[in-house]
CSV table of all heavy atoms in Angstrom, one decimal:
chain,number,residue,atom,x,y,z
C,196,GLY,N,-25.3,-112.1,4.8
C,196,GLY,CA,-25.0,-112.4,6.2
C,196,GLY,C,-24.0,-111.3,6.7
C,196,GLY,O,-23.5,-110.5,6.0
C,197,THR,N,-23.7,-111.5,8.0
C,197,THR,CA,-22.8,-110.5,8.7
C,197,THR,C,-21.5,-111.1,9.0
C,197,THR,O,-21.4,-112.3,9.5
C,197,THR,CB,-23.5,-110.0,10.0
C,197,THR,OG1,-24.7,-109.4,9.6
C,197,THR,CG2,-22.6,-108.9,10.7
C,198,GLY,N,-20.4,-110.4,8.8
C,198,GLY,CA,-19.1,-110.8,9.2
C,198,GLY,C,-18.5,-109.9,10.4
C,198,GLY,O,-19.3,-109.2,11.0
C,199,LYS,N,-17.2,-110.0,10.6
C,199,LYS,CA,-16.6,-109.2,11.7
C,199,LYS,C,-16.8,-107.7,11.6
C,199,LYS,O,-17.0,-107.0,12.6
C,199,LYS,CB,-15.1,-109.6,11.8
C,199,LYS,CG,-14.8,-111.0,12.2
C,199,LYS,CD,-13.3,-111.2,12.3
C,199,LYS,CE,-13.0,-112.6,12.7
C,199,LYS,NZ,-11.6,-112.9,12.6
C,200,SER,N,-16.7,-107.2,10.4
C,200,SER,CA,-16.7,-105.7,10.2
C,200,SER,C,-17.9,-105.2,9.4
C,200,SER,O,-17.8,-104.2,8.7
C,200,SER,CB,-15.4,-105.2,9.6
C,200,SER,OG,-15.2,-105.8,8.3
C,201,GLY,N,-19.0,-106.0,9.4
C,201,GLY,CA,-20.1,-105.6,8.6
C,201,GLY,C,-20.7,-106.7,7.8
C,201,GLY,O,-20.4,-107.9,8.0
C,202,ASP,N,-21.4,-106.4,6.8
C,202,ASP,CA,-22.0,-107.4,5.9
C,202,ASP,C,-20.9,-108.2,5.1
C,202,ASP,O,-19.9,-107.6,4.8
C,202,ASP,CB,-23.0,-106.8,4.9
C,202,ASP,CG,-24.2,-106.3,5.6
C,202,ASP,OD1,-24.5,-106.6,6.7
C,202,ASP,OD2,-25.0,-105.5,4.9
C,203,LEU,N,-21.1,-109.4,4.9
C,203,LEU,CA,-20.2,-110.2,4.1
C,203,LEU,C,-20.2,-109.8,2.7
C,203,LEU,O,-21.2,-109.1,2.2
C,203,LEU,CB,-20.6,-111.7,4.2
C,203,LEU,CG,-20.4,-112.4,5.6
C,203,LEU,CD1,-21.0,-113.8,5.6
C,203,LEU,CD2,-18.9,-112.4,6.0
C,204,PRO,N,-19.2,-110.2,1.9
C,204,PRO,CA,-19.2,-109.8,0.4
C,204,PRO,C,-20.4,-110.5,-0.3
C,204,PRO,O,-21.0,-111.5,0.3
C,204,PRO,CB,-17.9,-110.4,-0.1
C,204,PRO,CG,-17.1,-110.8,1.1
C,204,PRO,CD,-18.0,-110.9,2.2
C,205,PRO,N,-20.8,-110.0,-1.4
C,205,PRO,CA,-21.9,-110.7,-2.2
C,205,PRO,C,-21.5,-112.1,-2.4
C,205,PRO,O,-20.4,-112.5,-2.6
C,205,PRO,CB,-21.9,-109.9,-3.5
C,205,PRO,CG,-21.2,-108.6,-3.3
C,205,PRO,CD,-20.2,-108.9,-2.2
C,206,ARG,N,-22.6,-112.9,-2.4
C,206,ARG,CA,-22.4,-114.4,-2.7
C,206,ARG,C,-21.8,-114.5,-4.1
C,206,ARG,O,-22.3,-113.9,-5.0
C,206,ARG,CB,-23.7,-115.1,-2.5
C,206,ARG,CG,-24.1,-115.1,-1.0
C,206,ARG,CD,-25.3,-116.1,-0.8
C,206,ARG,NE,-25.0,-117.4,-1.3
C,206,ARG,CZ,-24.5,-118.4,-0.6
C,206,ARG,NH1,-24.1,-118.2,0.6
C,206,ARG,NH2,-24.3,-119.5,-1.2
C,207,PRO,N,-20.9,-115.4,-4.3
C,207,PRO,CA,-20.1,-115.5,-5.6
C,207,PRO,C,-20.9,-116.1,-6.7
C,207,PRO,O,-20.6,-115.9,-7.9
C,207,PRO,CB,-18.9,-116.4,-5.2
C,207,PRO,CG,-19.4,-117.2,-4.1
C,207,PRO,CD,-20.3,-116.3,-3.3
C,208,GLU,N,-22.0,-116.8,-6.5
C,208,GLU,CA,-22.7,-117.4,-7.6
C,208,GLU,C,-23.7,-116.5,-8.3
C,208,GLU,O,-24.1,-116.8,-9.4
C,208,GLU,CB,-23.4,-118.7,-7.1
C,208,GLU,CG,-24.6,-118.5,-6.1
C,208,GLU,CD,-24.1,-118.5,-4.6
C,208,GLU,OE1,-22.9,-118.3,-4.4
C,208,GLU,OE2,-25.0,-118.6,-3.8
C,209,CYS,N,-24.2,-115.4,-7.7
C,209,CYS,CA,-25.2,-114.6,-8.3
C,209,CYS,C,-24.7,-113.9,-9.6
C,209,CYS,O,-25.4,-114.0,-10.6
C,209,CYS,CB,-25.6,-113.5,-7.3
C,209,CYS,SG,-26.7,-114.0,-6.1
C,210,ALA,N,-23.6,-113.2,-9.5
C,210,ALA,CA,-23.1,-112.5,-10.7
C,210,ALA,C,-22.9,-113.4,-11.9
C,210,ALA,O,-23.5,-113.1,-13.0
C,210,ALA,CB,-21.9,-111.7,-10.4
C,211,PRO,N,-22.1,-114.5,-11.8
C,211,PRO,CA,-21.9,-115.3,-13.0
C,211,PRO,C,-23.2,-115.9,-13.5
C,211,PRO,O,-23.4,-116.1,-14.7
C,211,PRO,CB,-21.0,-116.4,-12.5
C,211,PRO,CG,-20.3,-115.8,-11.3
C,211,PRO,CD,-21.3,-114.9,-10.7
C,212,ALA,N,-24.2,-116.2,-12.6
C,212,ALA,CA,-25.4,-116.9,-13.1
C,212,ALA,C,-26.4,-116.0,-13.7
C,212,ALA,O,-27.1,-116.4,-14.6
C,212,ALA,CB,-26.0,-117.6,-11.9
C,213,TRP,N,-26.5,-114.7,-13.3
C,213,TRP,CA,-27.6,-113.9,-13.7
C,213,TRP,C,-27.2,-112.5,-14.3
C,213,TRP,O,-28.0,-111.9,-15.1
C,213,TRP,CB,-28.5,-113.6,-12.5
C,213,TRP,CG,-29.1,-114.8,-12.0
C,213,TRP,CD1,-28.7,-115.5,-10.9
C,213,TRP,CD2,-30.2,-115.5,-12.5
C,213,TRP,NE1,-29.5,-116.6,-10.7
C,213,TRP,CE2,-30.5,-116.6,-11.7
C,213,TRP,CE3,-31.0,-115.3,-13.6
C,213,TRP,CZ2,-31.5,-117.5,-11.9
C,213,TRP,CZ3,-32.1,-116.2,-13.9
C,213,TRP,CH2,-32.3,-117.3,-13.0
C,214,ARG,N,-26.1,-112.0,-14.0
C,214,ARG,CA,-25.7,-110.6,-14.4
C,214,ARG,C,-25.8,-110.3,-15.9
C,214,ARG,O,-26.5,-109.4,-16.3
C,214,ARG,CB,-24.3,-110.3,-13.9
C,214,ARG,CG,-24.4,-109.1,-13.0
C,214,ARG,CD,-23.2,-108.7,-12.3
C,214,ARG,NE,-23.2,-107.3,-12.4
C,214,ARG,CZ,-24.3,-106.6,-11.9
C,214,ARG,NH1,-25.2,-107.2,-11.2
C,214,ARG,NH2,-24.3,-105.3,-12.0
C,215,GLU,N,-25.1,-111.1,-16.7
C,215,GLU,CA,-25.1,-110.9,-18.1
C,215,GLU,C,-26.5,-110.9,-18.8
C,215,GLU,O,-26.8,-110.0,-19.6
C,215,GLU,CB,-24.2,-111.8,-18.9
C,215,GLU,CG,-22.7,-111.6,-18.5
C,215,GLU,CD,-22.2,-110.3,-18.9
C,215,GLU,OE1,-22.6,-109.6,-19.9
C,215,GLU,OE2,-21.2,-109.8,-18.2
C,216,ALA,N,-27.3,-111.9,-18.4
C,216,ALA,CA,-28.6,-112.0,-18.9
C,216,ALA,C,-29.5,-110.8,-18.6
C,216,ALA,O,-30.3,-110.3,-19.4
C,216,ALA,CB,-29.3,-113.3,-18.5
C,217,LEU,N,-29.4,-110.3,-17.3
C,217,LEU,CA,-30.2,-109.2,-16.9
C,217,LEU,C,-29.7,-107.9,-17.5
C,217,LEU,O,-30.5,-107.1,-18.0
C,217,LEU,CB,-30.3,-109.1,-15.4
C,217,LEU,CG,-31.1,-110.2,-14.7
C,217,LEU,CD1,-30.9,-110.2,-13.2
C,217,LEU,CD2,-32.5,-110.1,-15.1
C,218,LEU,N,-28.4,-107.7,-17.6
C,218,LEU,CA,-27.8,-106.5,-18.2
C,218,LEU,C,-28.2,-106.4,-19.6
C,218,LEU,O,-28.4,-105.3,-20.2
C,218,LEU,CB,-26.3,-106.5,-18.0
C,218,LEU,CG,-25.8,-106.2,-16.5
C,218,LEU,CD1,-24.3,-106.4,-16.5
C,218,LEU,CD2,-26.2,-104.8,-16.1
C,219,ALA,N,-28.2,-107.5,-20.3
C,219,ALA,CA,-28.5,-107.5,-21.8
C,219,ALA,C,-29.9,-107.0,-22.0
C,219,ALA,O,-30.2,-106.5,-23.1
C,219,ALA,CB,-28.4,-109.0,-22.3
C,220,ARG,N,-30.8,-107.1,-21.1
C,220,ARG,CA,-32.2,-106.6,-21.2
C,220,ARG,C,-32.3,-105.1,-21.0
C,220,ARG,O,-33.3,-104.5,-21.4
C,220,ARG,CB,-33.1,-107.3,-20.3
C,220,ARG,CG,-33.1,-108.8,-20.5
C,220,ARG,CD,-34.1,-109.5,-19.6
C,220,ARG,NE,-35.5,-109.2,-19.9
C,220,ARG,CZ,-36.2,-109.9,-20.7
C,220,ARG,NH1,-35.8,-111.0,-21.2
C,220,ARG,NH2,-37.5,-109.5,-21.0
C,221,LEU,N,-31.3,-104.5,-20.5
C,221,LEU,CA,-31.3,-103.0,-20.1
C,221,LEU,C,-30.6,-102.2,-21.3
C,221,LEU,O,-29.5,-101.7,-21.1
C,221,LEU,CB,-30.6,-102.8,-18.8
C,221,LEU,CG,-31.2,-103.5,-17.6
C,221,LEU,CD1,-30.3,-103.3,-16.4
C,221,LEU,CD2,-32.6,-103.0,-17.4
C,222,LYS,N,-31.3,-102.1,-22.3
C,222,LYS,CA,-30.8,-101.4,-23.5
C,222,LYS,C,-30.9,-99.9,-23.5
C,222,LYS,O,-30.4,-99.2,-24.4
C,222,LYS,CB,-31.5,-102.0,-24.8
C,222,LYS,CG,-31.2,-103.5,-24.9
C,222,LYS,CD,-31.5,-104.0,-26.3
C,222,LYS,CE,-31.4,-105.5,-26.4
C,222,LYS,NZ,-30.2,-106.1,-26.0
C,223,GLU,N,-31.7,-99.4,-22.6
C,223,GLU,CA,-31.9,-97.9,-22.6
C,223,GLU,C,-31.1,-97.2,-21.5
C,223,GLU,O,-31.2,-96.0,-21.3
C,223,GLU,CB,-33.4,-97.6,-22.3
C,223,GLU,CG,-34.4,-98.2,-23.3
C,223,GLU,CD,-34.2,-97.7,-24.7
C,223,GLU,OE1,-34.0,-96.4,-24.8
C,223,GLU,OE2,-34.3,-98.4,-25.6
C,224,ILE,N,-30.2,-97.9,-20.9
C,224,ILE,CA,-29.4,-97.3,-19.8
C,224,ILE,C,-28.4,-96.2,-20.4
C,224,ILE,O,-27.7,-96.5,-21.3
C,224,ILE,CB,-28.5,-98.4,-19.1
C,224,ILE,CG1,-29.5,-99.4,-18.4
C,224,ILE,CG2,-27.5,-97.7,-18.1
C,224,ILE,CD1,-30.3,-98.8,-17.3
C,225,GLU,N,-28.5,-95.0,-19.8
C,225,GLU,CA,-27.6,-93.9,-20.2
C,225,GLU,C,-26.6,-93.6,-19.1
C,225,GLU,O,-25.6,-92.9,-19.4
C,225,GLU,CB,-28.5,-92.7,-20.5
C,225,GLU,CG,-29.4,-92.8,-21.6
C,225,GLU,CD,-30.3,-91.6,-21.8
C,225,GLU,OE1,-29.8,-90.5,-21.6
C,225,GLU,OE2,-31.4,-91.8,-22.2
C,226,LEU,N,-26.8,-94.1,-17.9
C,226,LEU,CA,-25.9,-93.8,-16.8
C,226,LEU,C,-25.9,-95.0,-15.9
C,226,LEU,O,-26.9,-95.5,-15.5
C,226,LEU,CB,-26.4,-92.5,-16.0
C,226,LEU,CG,-25.6,-92.2,-14.8
C,226,LEU,CD1,-24.2,-91.8,-15.0
C,226,LEU,CD2,-26.3,-91.0,-14.1
C,227,THR,N,-24.7,-95.4,-15.5
C,227,THR,CA,-24.5,-96.5,-14.6
C,227,THR,C,-23.7,-96.0,-13.4
C,227,THR,O,-22.6,-95.5,-13.6
C,227,THR,CB,-23.8,-97.7,-15.2
C,227,THR,OG1,-24.6,-98.2,-16.3
C,227,THR,CG2,-23.6,-98.9,-14.3
C,228,LEU,N,-24.2,-96.2,-12.2
C,228,LEU,CA,-23.5,-95.9,-10.9
C,228,LEU,C,-22.9,-97.2,-10.4
C,228,LEU,O,-23.7,-98.1,-10.1
C,228,LEU,CB,-24.4,-95.2,-9.9
C,228,LEU,CG,-25.2,-94.0,-10.4
C,228,LEU,CD1,-26.1,-93.5,-9.3
C,228,LEU,CD2,-24.4,-93.0,-11.0
C,229,VAL,N,-21.6,-97.3,-10.3
C,229,VAL,CA,-20.9,-98.5,-9.9
C,229,VAL,C,-20.5,-98.2,-8.4
C,229,VAL,O,-19.5,-97.5,-8.2
C,229,VAL,CB,-19.8,-98.8,-10.8
C,229,VAL,CG1,-19.1,-100.1,-10.4
C,229,VAL,CG2,-20.3,-98.9,-12.3
C,230,ILE,N,-21.1,-98.9,-7.5
C,230,ILE,CA,-21.0,-98.6,-6.1
C,230,ILE,C,-20.2,-99.7,-5.3
C,230,ILE,O,-20.7,-100.8,-5.2
C,230,ILE,CB,-22.3,-98.3,-5.4
C,230,ILE,CG1,-23.0,-97.2,-6.1
C,230,ILE,CG2,-22.2,-98.1,-3.9
C,230,ILE,CD1,-24.5,-97.0,-5.8
C,231,GLY,N,-19.1,-99.3,-4.8
C,231,GLY,CA,-18.3,-100.3,-4.0
C,231,GLY,C,-17.3,-101.2,-4.7
C,231,GLY,O,-17.4,-101.3,-6.0
C,232,GLN,N,-16.4,-101.7,-4.0
C,232,GLN,CA,-15.3,-102.5,-4.6
C,232,GLN,C,-15.7,-103.7,-5.4
C,232,GLN,O,-15.1,-104.0,-6.5
C,232,GLN,CB,-14.3,-102.8,-3.6
C,232,GLN,CG,-14.7,-103.9,-2.6
C,232,GLN,CD,-13.7,-104.1,-1.5
C,232,GLN,OE1,-12.6,-103.6,-1.5
C,232,GLN,NE2,-14.0,-105.0,-0.6
C,233,HIS,N,-16.7,-104.4,-5.0
C,233,HIS,CA,-17.2,-105.6,-5.7
C,233,HIS,C,-17.8,-105.2,-7.1
C,233,HIS,O,-17.5,-105.9,-8.1
C,233,HIS,CB,-18.1,-106.4,-4.9
C,233,HIS,CG,-17.5,-107.0,-3.7
C,233,HIS,ND1,-16.5,-108.0,-3.7
C,233,HIS,CD2,-17.6,-106.6,-2.4
C,233,HIS,CE1,-16.1,-108.2,-2.4
C,233,HIS,NE2,-16.8,-107.4,-1.6
C,234,ALA,N,-18.5,-104.1,-7.1
C,234,ALA,CA,-19.1,-103.6,-8.3
C,234,ALA,C,-18.0,-103.1,-9.2
C,234,ALA,O,-18.0,-103.3,-10.5
C,234,ALA,CB,-20.2,-102.6,-8.1
C,235,HIS,N,-17.0,-102.4,-8.6
C,235,HIS,CA,-15.9,-101.9,-9.4
C,235,HIS,C,-15.2,-103.0,-10.1
C,235,HIS,O,-14.9,-102.9,-11.3
C,235,HIS,CB,-14.9,-101.1,-8.5
C,235,HIS,CG,-15.4,-99.8,-8.0
C,235,HIS,ND1,-14.5,-98.9,-7.6
C,235,HIS,CD2,-16.6,-99.2,-7.9
C,235,HIS,CE1,-15.2,-97.8,-7.2
C,235,HIS,NE2,-16.5,-98.0,-7.4
C,236,ALA,N,-14.9,-104.1,-9.4
C,236,ALA,CA,-14.2,-105.2,-10.0
C,236,ALA,C,-14.9,-105.8,-11.2
C,236,ALA,O,-14.2,-106.2,-12.1
C,236,ALA,CB,-14.0,-106.3,-8.9
C,237,TRP,N,-16.2,-105.8,-11.2
C,237,TRP,CA,-17.0,-106.4,-12.3
C,237,TRP,C,-17.1,-105.4,-13.5
C,237,TRP,O,-17.0,-105.8,-14.7
C,237,TRP,CB,-18.4,-106.8,-11.9
C,237,TRP,CG,-19.2,-107.4,-12.9
C,237,TRP,CD1,-19.9,-106.7,-13.9
C,237,TRP,CD2,-19.4,-108.8,-13.2
C,237,TRP,NE1,-20.6,-107.6,-14.7
C,237,TRP,CE2,-20.3,-108.9,-14.3
C,237,TRP,CE3,-18.9,-109.9,-12.6
C,237,TRP,CZ2,-20.7,-110.1,-14.8
C,237,TRP,CZ3,-19.4,-111.1,-13.1
C,237,TRP,CH2,-20.2,-111.2,-14.2
C,238,HIS,N,-17.3,-104.1,-13.2
C,238,HIS,CA,-17.7,-103.1,-14.2
C,238,HIS,C,-16.6,-102.2,-14.8
C,238,HIS,O,-16.8,-101.6,-15.8
C,238,HIS,CB,-18.8,-102.2,-13.7
C,238,HIS,CG,-20.2,-102.9,-13.7
C,238,HIS,ND1,-21.0,-102.9,-14.7
C,238,HIS,CD2,-20.7,-103.7,-12.7
C,238,HIS,CE1,-22.1,-103.6,-14.4
C,238,HIS,NE2,-22.0,-104.1,-13.2
C,239,LEU,N,-15.5,-102.2,-14.1
C,239,LEU,CA,-14.4,-101.3,-14.6
C,239,LEU,C,-13.3,-102.1,-15.2
C,239,LEU,O,-12.8,-103.1,-14.7
C,239,LEU,CB,-13.8,-100.5,-13.4
C,239,LEU,CG,-14.8,-99.6,-12.6
C,239,LEU,CD1,-14.1,-98.9,-11.5
C,239,LEU,CD2,-15.5,-98.7,-13.5
C,240,PRO,N,-12.9,-101.7,-16.4
C,240,PRO,CA,-11.9,-102.5,-17.1
C,240,PRO,C,-10.5,-102.5,-16.4
C,240,PRO,O,-9.8,-103.5,-16.6
C,240,PRO,CB,-11.7,-101.7,-18.5
C,240,PRO,CG,-12.3,-100.4,-18.2
C,240,PRO,CD,-13.3,-100.5,-17.1
C,241,ASP,N,-10.2,-101.6,-15.6
C,241,ASP,CA,-8.9,-101.5,-14.9
C,241,ASP,C,-9.2,-101.7,-13.4
C,241,ASP,O,-8.7,-100.9,-12.6
C,241,ASP,CB,-8.2,-100.3,-15.2
C,241,ASP,CG,-9.0,-99.0,-15.1
C,241,ASP,OD1,-10.2,-99.1,-14.8
C,241,ASP,OD2,-8.5,-97.9,-15.4
C,242,ALA,N,-9.9,-102.7,-13.0
C,242,ALA,CA,-10.4,-102.8,-11.6
C,242,ALA,C,-9.3,-103.2,-10.7
C,242,ALA,O,-9.5,-103.3,-9.5
C,242,ALA,CB,-11.4,-103.9,-11.6
C,243,GLY,N,-8.0,-103.3,-11.1
C,243,GLY,CA,-6.9,-103.6,-10.2
C,243,GLY,C,-6.6,-102.5,-9.2
C,243,GLY,O,-6.0,-102.7,-8.2
């Protein structure tokens, strides 16, 4: 959905419910592009 300054953040239930199971199936990945602050927070060890 849309907020005051653009799209709202990703819904909070998707990542915990599905991310690990889907990522576990991707065993051939050689390069991951981590786009935007929400993705950074999940994928970068020093996301602070």
Side-chain angles (χ1 to χ4, degrees):
T197 303
K199 291 180 183 177
S200 61
D202 291 345
L203 293 170
R206 295 191 49 92
E208 65 271 18
C209 283
W213 296 102
R214 239 174 141 59
E215 291 300 330
L217 291 170
L218 288 171
R220 299 183 70 95
L221 300 173
K222 300 198 185 303
E223 303 295 320
I224 297 297
E225 296 178 34
L226 174 63
T227 300
L228 308 184
V229 183
I230 300 171
Q232 67 183 1
H233 298 287
H235 287 199
W237 181 278
H238 285 271
L239 303 179
D241 46 2

